[in-house]
Amino acid sequence: VTLDKMKLQYSADAAHQGSASPSLASLSIGPTVCVINSAISFASYQLTSWEQHSTHSAQENSLVIKLIGVYLFNTTFVFFAIHADDTDWFKPGGLAEDATFMLLFNLVLPPVLTYWPFDS
């Protein structure tokens, strides 16, 4: 069985399923990105506090630059890399669905992770 034949079979199976519900892959990308972003935020705060900045503003600027770069990469470029070959971003399981679930999880999960008592 060639790879092209497997892709065609997968496409035919997906078309017949009538997938009105979101796929497990689409539902799992959002929380994964949120947890990774939260872990990177925590690590960035810790690492920035170890740096020898002359002012508090310089320390905050360093932290903001790190977080912007990491969040931009982890939240956008990863999705485009996953869906680089897709021609239809709005199909079920496409870029639009994955981005929607990622935004919904980013709305809920980071505040929960911030205020969860991990040290108890």
Side-chain angles (χ1 to χ4, degrees):
V1 174
T2 64
L3 183 60
D4 291 331
K5 205 179 240 187
M6 288 172 40
K7 284 183 182 178
L8 289 174
Q9 182 62 38
Y10 175 77
S11 297
D13 290 344
H16 291 300
Q17 285 179 349
S19 55
S21 63
S23 67
L24 182 62
S26 292
L27 288 175
S28 65
I29 291 174
T32 303
V33 168
C34 290
V35 168
I36 290 172
N37 281 346
S38 296
I40 289 172
S41 295
F42 177 76
S44 294
Y45 282 112
Q46 298 302 317
L47 292 173
T48 304
S49 68
W50 289 348
E51 295 173 357
Q52 303 271 331
H53 294 284
S54 58
T55 64
H56 183 71
S57 295
Q59 180 177 349
E60 293 296 317
N61 286 339
S62 174
L63 177 65
V64 166
I65 289 169
K66 288 175 194 157
L67 291 178
I68 287 173
V70 169
Y71 284 175
L72 184 66
F73 178 78
N74 196 31
T75 345
T76 58
F77 296 132
V78 170
F79 281 114
F80 286 118
I82 290 171
H83 296 287
D85 295 334
D86 286 350
T87 56
D88 186 11
W89 287 353
F90 299 101
K91 67 181 179 186
L95 178 67
E97 184 175 280
D98 288 350
T100 301
F101 285 116
M102 190 270 309
L103 290 172
L104 289 173
F105 281 111
N106 263 329
L107 180 68
V108 175
L109 199 56
V112 170
L113 291 175
T114 300
Y115 295 111
W116 191 269
F118 287 109
D119 57 348
S120 302

